[in-house]
Amino acid sequence: MDTPHDPLAGLRPAADPRDPRASALLRPFSPGTLLQDQPVLLGLPYDGGIPSRPGARFGPKALREALSAYGSFDGQRELGEVVDMGDLTLAPMNGSVTHSRVEAASRGLFATGARPIFIGGDHGLTGSLIRGLAAARPGLRLALVTLDAHLDVREYDNESSLSSGTPFRRALETPILTGARTAMIGIRSFANSRYYLSWAREQGIHVYTVEDVAERGAVAVAREALSRIMKDADALYLSVDIDAADAAVAPGVSAVGVGGLSSREMIDVVRTVAAEPWMIGADLMELSPPHDENARTAKLAARLLLEVLSARG
C-alpha cells in the first residue's frame, strides 16, 4: 500500500532534541528488567463495569498519547524513565475473568517490589488491584486516598456484579485496609446516596467534599487527610477517578458532572499525596476518550501521571 502524501511534509518544524517530550520517558518492558523500586506503568483497557457512557477502555492509549503534549523537565530536574508494561489483555465481555486477571497482575507487580501506576479503564478494577496488593503483601497496614466524585462503596453479590461503583467496598474487605486509614477527597453533592454516605462514615472513612477543598484549599485538605490516615499505616495507595474534575475541565470521563474540582485542585491533591514517602502504588481511572474534547481530559490525566512521577523522584 502506498504511503499517503503529506503536502506539509518538510514544512513542519523538526522536533527539538533540547526539549524532550514526556512520552519518551516510557521504556517498553523487556525480560530481565529489574522492577524493584521502579515506577511501572500498566494499562487496563476495560469498561465492562461502567453502566453508562462506555469508552474508558480507550483511556490507556489516550493517556500515553497525551504525554507528548508535555516536556520531561518538572522545573527542577528531568524525570527518569518509566517501565511500560503495555496493556493487560482483558476479557471485555467477562467481568469475573477480567477482575481475576487484574488481581493476578497486581499481585505479581507488587511482589516484585515495583511501584506500579495503573491506567484505565473501569474504576471498579481498583478493588481487584488492592486485593492483589493484599495477596502480595498481606502484612501491610495500608492507607488509601481516593480522589473521586463518588464514594464507590456499593454493595454487590459476586464478581459478576462488580461495577465502577464497588471498588472501595472490595478494598475495605481486605485485611490490609480499614475505614480509619481511608480518605476520600472531592466527593460531590447529589452524586451519592444517604445510605452509602452513612455506611462510609460508619466505617470511619474520612470524607472531604468539593466544598471542603474550595473553602480550605486542596493542599491543606490533602495534608489533613494524610495526617489522619497515616498514623498507624506503613504504606499508601492513591486512586484517582478523573471524574472528580468539573465537566468544564474534564468532559471525557465515564460519569461527567458539574460542580467538581478544578484542574489546579486535582494537581495539588495528587502532588501532595504522591510526595508521601510511604506511597507504593497509584491508579488513574475512567478517562473516556470518545467523550473528550480536544484531548482536554487526556491531557489532565497525563499531567496527573507526571505529578506522581515527579513527586516520587
Side-chain angles (χ1 to χ4, degrees):
M1 180 181 293
D2 293 335
T3 301
H5 175 66
D6 182 355
L8 298 180
L11 299 179
R12 295 189 178 92
D16 185 348
R18 293 167 294 274
D19 183 18
R21 299 288 84 196
S23 51
L25 297 171
L26 302 183
R27 175 166 58 92
F29 172 78
S30 59
T33 300
L34 295 178
L35 301 181
Q36 177 75 35
D37 294 325
Q38 295 300 309
V40 174
L41 199 68
L42 179 64
L44 305 175
Y46 174 78
D47 55 14
I50 297 171
S52 60
R53 285 170 64 95
R57 64 187 180 276
F58 303 113
K61 180 176 184 292
L63 191 153
R64 289 185 179 96
E65 291 175 346
L67 286 171
S68 63
Y70 296 99
S72 57
F73 181 60
D74 70 358
Q76 297 182 339
R77 66 191 186 287
E78 290 284 342
L79 299 186
E81 289 185 333
V82 180
V83 178
D84 189 354
M85 307 290 292
D87 289 350
L88 190 63
T89 300
L90 300 174
M93 302 302 292
N94 192 319
S96 180
V97 169
T98 286
H99 280 272
S100 294
R101 289 179 183 174
V102 169
E103 183 176 336
S106 172
R107 181 175 66 248
L109 281 176
F110 281 112
T112 69
R115 293 181 290 156
I117 305 168
F118 305 95
I119 54 176
D122 179 354
H123 203 189
L125 298 176
T126 298
S128 293
L129 294 173
I130 294 178
R131 286 168 64 96
L133 170 57
R137 303 177 64 178
L140 282 184
R141 297 189 304 275
L142 184 68
L144 170 68
V145 173
T146 77
L147 186 53
D148 197 336
H150 306 95
L151 298 166
D152 287 347
V153 293
R154 290 182 180 275
E155 297 173 356
Y156 65 96
D157 296 323
N158 50 49
E159 289 200 346
S160 296
S161 63
L162 295 175
S163 72
S164 58
T166 61
F168 304 123
R169 170 80 66 150
R170 297 189 81 218
L172 287 163
E173 292 170 350
T174 69
I176 64 174
L177 184 65
T178 66
R181 293 200 300 268
T182 301
M184 298 182 169
I185 301 175
I187 299 301
R188 194 165 58 223
S189 299
F190 305 107
N192 301 278
S193 74
R194 180 192 298 272
Y195 177 88
Y196 286 117
L197 181 58
S198 296
W199 186 89
R201 295 195 186 282
E202 288 169 2
Q203 308 312 304
I205 295 172
H206 307 281
V207 176
Y208 297 91
T209 66
V210 173
E211 288 74 23
D212 291 328
V213 174
E215 292 170 7
R216 299 165 50 195
V219 173
V221 165
R223 286 176 175 168
E224 179 182 298
L226 289 172
S227 72
R228 290 181 172 180
I229 66 175
M230 295 302 299
K231 288 178 180 178
D232 66 341
D234 55 16
L236 173 67
Y237 188 92
L238 170 64
S239 182
V240 178
D241 189 326
I242 307 298
D243 78 9
D246 188 81
V249 173
V253 295
S254 302
V256 68
V258 298
L261 300 176
S262 69
S263 58
R264 182 71 259 167
E265 290 167 335
M266 296 280 286
I267 290 167
D268 284 346
V269 170
V270 169
R271 178 183 292 170
T272 303
V273 175
E276 166 58 50
W278 290 107
M279 197 176 93
I280 61 171
D283 62 58
L284 296 164
M285 309 298 271
E286 306 255 352
L287 167 62
S288 189
H291 306 287
D292 207 358
E293 298 173 5
N294 300 316
R296 197 157 72 235
T297 314
K299 289 177 182 177
L300 172 60
R303 174 62 186 271
L304 296 179
L305 172 61
L306 293 175
E307 291 295 339
V308 172
L309 296 173
S310 178
R312 302 307 299 146

